[in-house]
Amino acid sequence: AIIEFLDSAFADRGGMILPLEPIARAKAKEIAEIVNSGIQPLQNLSTIQTLDSMAAQQGNPDEGVGKKFAKEAIEKGLSILEDKISRLHAADRKAGPFAVGSFGPTIADICLVPQFYNGRRFGIEVERICPTIVQIENACKNHPWFRAILPDMQRSIDSKK
């Protein structure tokens, strides 16, 4: 809901988060929802801690159960998205550099970029399993919407003291 609000309230600020064209809009929402419901929640700290706790209660001393689960979920989700997005781009040779083939970022790109950061944090070779999406990530990194908010651009908490 917040994305649709921002898109409507600030439509005059340099682009649309949700494409106007119905098919592109549906594809952008589909990609975003795969991330929102099928990848991101499975890597939350609370999920990882719950899985570790459950494993410990069942006599499994391996505290890495939750992280292994999260890594597998991210890998599986990114692989599914790579397949979907690479087919979309292959079908339209005039496609733009962003996830749904647009020439500006959409909600799909906004949801994808953080997954790459997290994937790398969990030790996933995103360049190997997602070559198409890596190109999209690079397009996003060069877009003004993303430049200032990339994790590498953030000051650490220590530097704010």
Side-chain angles (χ1 to χ4, degrees), residues 2 4 19 27 30 37 45 47 55 78 89 95 101 103 111 113 119 127 142 147 159 161:
I2 190 69
E4 291 192 33
K27 288 177 182 176
E30 176 186 24
S37 63
L45 183 57
T47 302
L78 288 176
H89 280 252
F103 289 91
C111 290
V113 169
E127 288 76 7
N142 290 313
R147 274 190 221 124
S159 68
K161 291 180 181 177

Side-chain angles (χ1 to χ4, degrees), residues 42-45 47-53 55 62-73 122:
L42 304 176
Q43 59 187 289
N44 284 342
L45 183 57
T47 302
I48 292 169
Q49 290 173 337
T50 299
L51 290 170
D52 286 343
S53 175
D62 182 4
E63 291 186 20
V65 170
K67 284 187 178 179
K68 288 177 191 171
F69 174 81
K71 181 179 180 180
E72 289 172 11
F122 279 89

Side-chain angles (χ1 to χ4, degrees), residues 106-156:
T106 69
I107 189 172
D109 305 287
I110 291 168
C111 290
L112 277 174
V113 169
Q115 297 315 304
F116 270 64
Y117 175 80
N118 288 339
R120 289 182 181 105
R121 197 181 79 197
F122 279 89
I124 297 169
E125 297 176 33
V126 294
E127 288 76 7
R128 180 182 57 78
I129 64 170
C130 304
T132 304
I133 305 176
V134 167
Q135 292 174 0
I136 292 165
E137 178 192 33
N138 290 331
C140 289
K141 284 181 177 179
N142 290 313
H143 191 279
W145 288 1
F146 290 88
R147 274 190 221 124
I149 62 165
L150 292 170
D152 297 342
M153 299 299 293
Q154 305 307 309
R155 284 194 243 148
S156 70

